Amino acid sequence: MTQPFTYSISSIRFDEDYQPADSTRLTTNFANLARGENRQENLRKTLTMINNRFNDLAHWDNPTADRYSVEVDIISADLDVEGNGDTFPVIETLKTTIVDHKTNERIDGMIGNSFSSYVRDYDFSIVLPEHFDSHPTLPPPAEFGVLHGKLFQHLLRSEVYLEQFDKQPVICLSVSSTKTYQRTGNQHPVLGVEYKQDEYSLTDDYFHKMGLTVRYFMPAGSVAPLAFYFAGDLLSDYSDLELISAISTMETFQKIYRPEIYNANSTAAQVYQPSLKYQDYSLTQIVYDREERSQMAVKQGKFTQDDFIKPYQTILDEWAASFVLDNDSVKKRAA
């Protein structure tokens, strides 16, 4: 019998020929884009948007704005709970590679970017609604998201992750439409102007349990800040090109998925509250089914409950009780 609670990692290229793997969460942005009669055109236009945005931000020594292109790989981590070869797809994220056509170099981009998780679907689509049905005025219980956070940190400590990736992931998501953000005087040459929120969102707290803290930046040319979740030091642990690879990739997805915020026709003000009800925005030429995405989250949360949580409940509880979370990010956030 192999060692229990072990991960295996696989990757698939996200390009115009991409076909979602059977284990891929269909709620992910990239899987949603790769279905239907417009799938290839969708994918081609998405990649063009990523490349154009990358060259826009990496403008030095790049007079014709075509020096770089970005390759995107979908990284999937499967967990073998009992060590018997039966695995469950727990986490998917993206890895970018930067191609410098001037020097013919291939440069590591960001690992992280998007983040998909069946257990996260279960927590937000099954556990959370059940909690609020019973306790509408109370916040989620303290244990909400703890198992997911420990699974994520266990992956990052695993030999298979450390063998393939030499940096911690940075996950880049949309800001919350329920919070207000205040522009600060801090400005980074790549990430842009920093915003701070009035209070942490439920997503912020959830990612905090994964060992990640959050900062909000609006890059030059953007119309709204992005949320960057990271461990360590976002501003010094990553190169300019790595940061640009995350911005160009995830801003593209957000323009497609949330055009009301990220493809708005006006820029976020000094005090900014995002809204999906905003009317003054432009649509991309890429087909994206948001209604299907929301429905799939519930279905896949139920799948996780039936095929992962319930069958392994006792084992997961015992493992989680013995696994110690990394408290470094707690200290950073408190500071």
Side-chain angles (χ1 to χ4, degrees), residues 4-187:
F5 254 74
T6 56
Y7 285 97
S8 56
I9 292 179
S10 60
S11 68
I12 183 172
R13 178 61 50 85
F14 178 75
D15 56 21
E16 63 182 63
D17 298 316
Y18 165 67
Q19 297 276 2
D22 291 339
S23 61
T24 293
R25 280 174 71 253
L26 297 180
T27 56
T28 54
N29 291 327
F30 35 91
N32 189 296
L33 295 173
R35 293 198 301 277
E37 60 183 29
N38 297 314
R39 57 172 306 280
Q40 239 183 358
E41 185 179 2
N42 269 351
L43 297 170
R44 193 178 299 120
K45 287 179 178 178
T46 300
L47 293 166
T48 297
M49 286 176 65
I50 292 172
N51 289 335
N52 288 345
R53 184 58 169 140
F54 189 99
N55 283 289
D56 175 47
L57 290 169
H59 51 78
W60 59 93
D61 293 334
N62 189 8
T64 54
D66 59 0
R67 176 172 174 171
Y68 301 100
S69 60
V70 179
E71 294 176 354
V72 181
D73 288 291
I74 301 165
I75 306 298
S76 302
D78 295 341
L79 175 62
D80 185 341
V81 175
E82 296 181 301
N84 59 11
D86 292 332
T87 62
F88 185 84
V90 286
I91 288 170
E92 260 187 356
T93 186
L94 299 180
K95 169 71 171 68
T96 57
T97 301
I98 304 151
V99 181
D100 186 336
H101 299 286
K102 180 178 179 180
T103 63
N104 293 319
E105 289 181 281
R106 294 175 60 81
I107 305 163
D108 280 339
M110 193 70 76
I111 174 69
N113 303 288
S114 177
F115 180 79
S116 301
S117 163
Y118 276 112
V119 179
R120 185 184 176 200
D121 273 346
Y122 165 72
D123 281 338
F124 277 89
S125 300
I126 305 296
V127 176
L128 202 61
E130 288 180 354
H131 165 77
F132 284 128
D133 282 346
S134 302
H135 310 283
T137 62
L138 296 179
E143 64 269 19
F144 178 73
V146 169
L147 172 63
H148 181 270
K150 291 187 174 186
L151 289 171
F152 179 75
Q153 289 203 23
H154 184 245
L155 169 64
L156 298 192
R157 299 181 196 180
S158 68
E159 289 185 11
V160 67
Y161 181 89
L162 296 173
E163 285 172 357
Q164 295 192 42
F165 309 108
D166 59 2
K167 291 191 178 182
Q168 296 283 302
V170 172
I171 297 164
C172 181
L173 303 180
S174 168
V175 288
S176 172
S177 59
T178 65
K179 305 302 175 188
T180 299
Y181 299 83
Q182 176 82 37
R183 190 184 303 169
T184 74
N186 188 39
Q187 186 162 354

Side-chain angles (χ1 to χ4, degrees), residues 280-294:
D280 186 19
Y281 64 92
S282 300
L283 289 172
T284 66
Q285 297 179 14
I286 297 168
V287 178
Y288 187 93
D289 193 334
R290 286 200 293 190
E291 182 178 354
E292 179 194 48
R293 185 184 192 276
S294 62

Side-chain angles (χ1 to χ4, degrees), residues 244-261:
I244 291 172
S245 72
I247 296 166
S248 59
T249 301
M250 295 314 301
E251 189 178 82
T252 293
F253 283 128
Q254 294 298 347
K255 282 183 176 181
I256 297 166
Y257 172 44
R258 290 188 166 178
E260 299 92 339
I261 297 174

